[in-house]
Amino acid sequence: TGKAAYFQGTNALETNGTIKFGGSGVGMPAVGKVLTATDGLGNATWQSIPAVVAPLNLTSVETTLQSIATGATGYAGEFTINNAFNPTSAIKVVTFGTGKAIDVNNNSSTFATIKTVNSTELGNAIEITGGIKVSGINKAAFKIVTSAPFIAANKFGIPNTTLANASTDILTVTYEHTGGAYLLINKTFTTFWNGGNWEIHLTDGTAMPVGVTFNVLVIKQ
């Protein structure tokens, strides 16, 4: 009934191999089980890893949850939420701070930073309450002012260094009056892909003025 062995010290027990806990006192050490304390006296038994009971609160000073993929395939983090029988949202993010609720960064020029799919194809893949802000170097929406180096007769070329750089792009262009004479009043204009970049053409064939501001919205396909 007494102790079979007792160790005390800084490194009370050190082994250069595996350790096996057996006997009737600790239960069956099946695969996937962990040795878990059953009381405050140091007694433990082999138990299955308990399921997470909602809510799961993660509290930390800095990074709360981090997943680092060291392989060349698969996802860095993959989470599946079965919400088949619940009409509410699968994920809800709430922040009580003054920073962004979600901050996502991607170094790929091929794959989207965030991909959302509505499997019905008729529903909304994204729903936004509030405004939309575009930032960065190549913006999805930007202002561009006509200048002489990019004008040829009635044509103004949008540099393909912008996000408008592929023939499959959908461009929505509006004229912005910035004061002075209405340079494009009673004039219509259209967009044209010339094989290398997008152009804005005055359809009446008159010369494109310098200093005209256009607002451009680019939707990639």
Side-chain angles (χ1 to χ4, degrees):
T1 59
K3 298 180 178 66
Y6 178 76
F7 305 92
Q8 183 178 3
T10 303
N11 296 320
L13 177 62
E14 181 178 345
T15 176
N16 194 27
T18 60
I19 297 178
K20 180 180 179 179
F21 296 92
S24 59
V26 295
M28 182 64 68
V31 175
K33 290 190 175 183
V34 294
L35 200 62
T36 305
T38 56
D39 54 32
L41 303 177
N43 297 305
T45 59
W46 292 106
Q47 301 177 30
S48 299
I49 299 176
V52 176
V53 179
L56 175 63
N57 295 320
L58 302 176
T59 303
S60 67
V61 177
E62 293 182 358
T63 302
T64 301
L65 183 64
Q66 186 177 41
S67 175
I68 300 175
T70 57
T73 60
Y75 297 97
E78 182 175 358
F79 307 93
T80 301
I81 300 175
N82 189 337
N83 200 37
F85 305 104
N86 191 332
T88 58
S89 302
I91 296 178
K92 181 179 181 181
V93 179
V94 178
T95 177
F96 297 100
T98 57
K100 302 180 182 70
I102 298 178
D103 195 344
V104 182
N105 184 33
N106 182 14
N107 291 324
S108 173
S109 60
T110 304
F111 297 101
T113 302
I114 298 178
K115 180 180 179 180
T116 62
V117 178
N118 188 323
S119 58
T120 67
E121 295 186 358
L122 296 176
N124 297 321
I126 297 178
E127 179 179 345
I128 299 174
T129 300
I132 298 176
K133 180 180 179 180
V134 293
S135 59
I137 298 175
N138 291 332
K139 302 176 183 179
F142 55 91
K143 295 179 184 293
I144 192 166
V145 182
T146 59
S147 58
F150 301 101
I151 293 176
N154 65 321
K155 307 170 186 177
F156 168 66
I158 301 176
N160 58 16
T161 53
T162 67
L163 201 63
N165 52 27
S167 61
T168 54
D169 296 338
I170 298 175
L171 268 62
T172 300
V173 181
T174 60
Y175 161 62
E176 178 180 317
H177 177 58
T178 55
Y182 288 94
L183 298 177
L184 294 181
I185 194 67
N186 297 327
K187 293 182 182 291
T188 58
F189 55 90
T190 186
T191 57
F192 174 75
W193 176 257
N194 66 10
N197 64 281
W198 284 98
E199 295 176 340
I200 301 175
H201 292 191
L202 295 183
T203 57
D204 64 357
T206 58
M208 176 70 73
V210 173
V212 177
T213 301
F214 288 102
N215 299 316
V216 183
L217 171 64
V218 183
I219 300 176
K220 308 295 289 187
Q221 291 193 100

